[in-house]
């Protein structure tokens, strides 16, 4: 298992990105769907810290091995394996859908690296948006529709949550709490255990090595609670393994 979010071009899920504007997209609509084809074959999806409580009941929460680690909801133990989402995007089991996936095909991005302002962008290759008759309009004349305003608000909330998540991970890095992780699972009858690596986690050993002052500071900031949610979620890996074994 290799978990990495280092992408030199576009974020996970996105094939293209263009700024949304009334000039080019005045006739565009957005369709609703009960499937998430963009999540098919994705074994790990980014999470924000505000989602840890809901996500930890369903997924192991791990951290990528990238230079700038991010929390991830683990949905499969191998690349290309998602035990919750079928190839056509249909959900095979009840699950929490991370906000990162729910905002697709939209996101806020800087049009130029030097700019401070974020613009609402869209992936034009998605079949959820386009100049078709069905769906909700993204513009009312030259003004954003209520649907478009709602999408913008959600993306803005996500950016705030992402900044809070970065601050949490920065604390983990500052206190050297992240270590290379490993899952070892052996089913009855298997000659050898299955071993999965390529991610980071927080171990009890790392926590126990912290001073009382540092632990108190982490507790006061809320970071300690998030760490415990992360650690508790790791027990769900056996469920992922069982589901993945059944699909083979």
């Amino acid at each position: 298992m290799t978990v990495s979010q280092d992408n030199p071009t576009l974020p996970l899920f996105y094939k293209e990105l263009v700024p949304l504007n009334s000039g080019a997209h005045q006739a565009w609509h957005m369709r609703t769907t009960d499937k998430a084809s963009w999540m098919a074959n994705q074994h790990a999806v980014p999470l924000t810290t505000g989602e840890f409580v809901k996500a930890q009941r369903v997924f192991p929460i791990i951290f990528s091995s990238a230079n700038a680690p991010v929390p991830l909801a683990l949905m499969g133990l191998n690349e290309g394996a998602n035990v919750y989402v079928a190839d056509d995007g249909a959900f095979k089991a009840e699950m929490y859908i991370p906000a990162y996936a729910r905002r697709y095909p939209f996101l806020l991005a800087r049009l130029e690296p030097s700019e401070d302002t974020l613009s609402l962008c869209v992936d034009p290759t998605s079949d959820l948006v386009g100049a078709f008759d069905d769906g909700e309009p993204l513009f009312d004349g030259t003004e954003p529709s209520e649907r478009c305003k709602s999408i913008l608000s959600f993306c803005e909330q996500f950016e705030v949550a992402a900044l809070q998540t970065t601050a949490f991970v920065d604390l983990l890095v500052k206190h050297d709490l992240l270590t290379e992780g490993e899952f070892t699972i052996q089913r009855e009858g298997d000659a050898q255990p299955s071993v999965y690596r390529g991610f980071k986690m927080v171990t009890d050993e790392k926590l126990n090595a912290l001073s009382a002052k540092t632990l108190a500071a982490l507790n006061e900031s809320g970071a300690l609670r998030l760490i415990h949610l992360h650690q508790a979620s790791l027990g769900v890996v056996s469920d992922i393994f069982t589901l993945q074994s059944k699909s083979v």
Side-chain angles (χ1 to χ4, degrees), residues 2-222:
T2 301
V3 179
S4 176
Q5 296 302 311
D6 283 339
N7 190 321
T9 53
L10 294 175
L12 179 69
F13 300 153
Y14 298 86
K15 297 178 181 178
E16 292 181 30
L17 271 181
V18 297
L20 192 67
N21 66 80
S22 59
H25 309 114
Q26 188 171 9
W28 277 31
H29 289 66
M30 180 180 180
R31 292 169 171 156
T32 57
T33 180
D34 58 356
K35 296 182 179 181
S37 58
W38 54 97
M39 290 180 66
N41 304 316
Q42 296 294 340
H43 73 300
V45 176
L47 277 176
T48 62
T49 50
E51 302 176 279
F52 275 27
V53 171
K54 292 182 178 179
Q56 59 91 24
R57 301 167 185 163
V58 186
F59 313 114
I61 300 172
I62 59 174
F63 296 86
S64 66
S65 288
N67 291 331
V70 295
L72 301 167
L74 189 63
M75 301 181 183
L77 296 176
N78 300 95
E79 288 193 37
N82 188 321
V83 302
Y84 294 96
V85 183
D87 290 343
D88 65 352
F91 296 105
K92 296 188 286 186
E94 287 191 15
M95 61 175 285
Y96 172 76
I97 304 174
Y100 183 97
R102 281 183 276 132
R103 70 174 177 167
Y104 182 82
F106 301 92
L107 63 70
L108 288 173
R110 290 179 176 83
L111 300 184
E112 296 293 338
S114 59
E115 289 185 358
D116 292 330
T117 304
L118 296 174
S119 299
L120 184 61
C121 297
V122 64
D123 183 349
T125 69
S126 170
D127 59 4
L128 296 178
V129 291
F132 30 71
D133 295 330
D134 58 316
E136 298 180 74
L138 292 174
F139 290 94
D140 182 8
T142 59
E143 296 298 318
S145 67
E146 290 303 313
R147 179 58 171 154
C148 188
K149 292 177 183 177
S150 175
I151 291 168
L152 175 60
S153 177
F154 183 83
C155 289
E156 288 174 338
Q157 293 171 27
F158 180 85
E159 290 302 315
V160 172
L163 289 174
Q164 294 169 342
T165 303
T166 298
F168 167 66
V169 175
D170 286 346
L171 276 177
L172 300 184
V173 173
K174 174 184 176 181
H175 296 295
D176 191 30
L177 284 171
L178 289 173
T179 188
E180 294 299 324
E182 179 179 295
F183 294 134
T184 302
I185 305 173
Q186 184 157 10
R187 294 182 300 183
E188 186 176 350
D190 286 351
Q192 298 292 331
S194 298
V195 180
Y196 301 93
R197 303 185 181 93
F199 63 97
K200 292 182 179 180
M201 60 185 287
V202 180
T203 64
D204 286 337
E205 289 76 13
K206 287 279 189 177
L207 276 180
N208 293 336
L210 295 177
S211 68
K213 182 179 179 180
T214 299
L215 280 172
L218 290 174
N219 183 52
E220 185 175 351
S221 69

Side-chain angles (χ1 to χ4, degrees), residues 52 55-62 72 183 227-238:
F52 275 27
Q56 59 91 24
R57 301 167 185 163
V58 186
F59 313 114
I61 300 172
I62 59 174
L72 301 167
F183 294 134
I227 291 170
H228 288 154
L229 288 171
H230 149 65
Q231 291 181 317
S233 77
L234 299 180
V236 185
V237 71
S238 59

